[in-house]
Amino acid sequence: MGFKLAIDGPAASGKSTISAKLAKKLGWNHIDTGSMYRAVTLVALEKGINLEDESSYSFVKDLDIKYEKEKIFVNGKDVTKAIREPIVNENVSLVSSFPSVRKELVALQQKAAQHGDVIVDGRDIGTVVMPNADLKIFLIASVDERTKRRYLDFINAGKEVDLSKVKTDLEIRDQKDSTRKESPLIKASDAILLDTTDMSIEETIKSIIKLINNKRGE
Ligand code: DC
């Protein structure tokens, strides 16, 4: 079976960075579920479908989506960089609000998480994708800290962005993700809340390893 670790939290709370580094350190698998919603959004944009119309997403079931070694592939094409474009950020909350899209991706995620020790990060992992996870963590950080982190991501990727726009975009996405009808971003009742506002990546990883070891010792 293996150890199943669910990490949920709002946009730019550090879920994917922490999960990737932790997985590397422990030699576990990692599945970044946000990248799958982003991949579907990218394909929808490329196809030029009416993004608002749920019935136009029937193509999703025929997509071959794979997340491997921190890279995301759609029908064999590496879209790791393309899914981080602002146009994807702006539309991914809408695309991920459709139940039929979620149904396909949740099934894919559950299958991918079946074997071995795995870290799955997203918004609904502790509540929907892995309700029986061995450990559930809900990562948060203040909106200003998350804005700073996302801003630096853009700058490091060589992109010119406006700090206040980064903040507004994050707030809009949080609002949409938390209030949507289908599987909203919500802390599972048995998840451990970890506020990383004043924590470094290394400190956060240490805390999570402690929690894993505690669980294993129970
Ligand atoms: O973690 P991220 O920012 O890459 O996620 C992108 C979007 O995908 C996020 O705004 C909401 C959606 N998402 C979701 O609905 N469920 C998940 N398990 C992961 C992400």
Side-chain angles (χ1 to χ4, degrees), residues 33-34 37-38 92-93 96 102 122-124 173 177 180:
T33 61
Y37 290 96
R38 287 170 178 274
V92 66
S93 289
S96 60
R102 302 200 69 82
R123 302 290 188 291
D124 61 342
R173 202 140 65 84
D177 293 345
R180 70 175 177 226

Side-chain angles (χ1 to χ4, degrees), residues 27-68:
W28 292 11
N29 282 329
H30 169 220
I31 304 165
D32 172 352
T33 61
S35 72
M36 296 180 174
Y37 290 96
R38 287 170 178 274
V40 169
T41 306
L42 181 71
V43 175
L45 287 163
E46 283 172 354
K47 281 186 180 290
I49 60 160
N50 174 4
L51 292 182
E52 308 268 342
D53 178 7
E54 182 171 6
S55 70
S56 56
Y57 289 84
S58 54
F59 68 88
V60 176
K61 64 177 184 325
D62 300 318
L63 287 180
D64 173 25
I65 303 177
K66 278 202 184 82
Y67 187 82
E68 273 172 12

Side-chain angles (χ1 to χ4, degrees), residues 6 15 32 35 60 75 78-79 101 109 118 124 134 147 160 185-186 190:
K15 300 178 304 288
D32 172 352
S35 72
V60 176
N75 296 339
D78 184 351
V79 295
V101 172
Q109 293 155 11
V118 67
D124 61 342
D134 295 289
T147 302
E160 278 281 324
L185 167 67
I186 188 169
D190 52 350

Side-chain angles (χ1 to χ4, degrees), residues 17-194:
T17 308
I18 299 288
S19 302
K21 286 189 187 281
L22 187 60
K24 193 166 177 208
K25 196 168 182 132
L26 299 174
W28 292 11
N29 282 329
H30 169 220
I31 304 165
D32 172 352
T33 61
S35 72
M36 296 180 174
Y37 290 96
R38 287 170 178 274
V40 169
T41 306
L42 181 71
V43 175
L45 287 163
E46 283 172 354
K47 281 186 180 290
I49 60 160
N50 174 4
L51 292 182
E52 308 268 342
D53 178 7
E54 182 171 6
S55 70
S56 56
Y57 289 84
S58 54
F59 68 88
V60 176
K61 64 177 184 325
D62 300 318
L63 287 180
D64 173 25
I65 303 177
K66 278 202 184 82
Y67 187 82
E68 273 172 12
K69 300 192 177 124
E70 308 306 326
K71 286 198 164 149
I72 177 106
F73 299 87
V74 178
N75 296 339
K77 185 176 158 205
D78 184 351
V79 295
T80 312
K81 266 211 180 121
I83 61 160
R84 301 287 154 195
E85 289 296 327
I87 182 83
V88 175
N89 287 340
E90 281 157 28
N91 290 290
V92 66
S93 289
L94 170 67
V95 175
S96 60
S97 70
F98 296 124
S100 55
V101 172
R102 302 200 69 82
K103 193 171 159 229
E104 292 295 333
L105 292 189
V106 166
L108 195 70
Q109 293 155 11
Q110 288 175 329
K111 198 163 165 239
Q114 249 170 8
H115 303 290
D117 300 317
V118 67
I119 304 170
V120 186
D121 82 85
R123 302 290 188 291
D124 61 342
I125 310 307
T127 51
V128 177
V129 179
M130 300 199 304
N132 298 320
D134 295 289
L135 178 63
K136 300 178 185 178
I137 292 174
F138 198 79
L139 270 194
I140 57 164
S142 71
V143 71
D144 285 332
E145 176 62 25
R146 291 188 289 122
T147 302
K148 200 175 88 192
R149 291 177 189 170
R150 185 48 50 94
Y151 178 75
L152 290 176
D153 284 346
F154 282 124
I155 297 295
N156 289 335
K159 293 209 176 81
E160 278 281 324
V161 280
D162 177 53
L163 191 70
S164 63
K165 176 155 187 336
V166 173
K167 184 172 178 178
T168 316
D169 288 350
L170 273 186
E171 287 175 324
I172 292 173
R173 202 140 65 84
D174 285 350
Q175 165 74 7
K176 285 187 189 158
D177 293 345
S178 323
T179 55
R180 70 175 177 226
K181 261 206 214 124
E182 184 78 14
S183 317
L185 167 67
I186 188 169
K187 179 184 160 302
S189 57
D190 52 350
I192 293 168
L193 187 76
L194 200 56

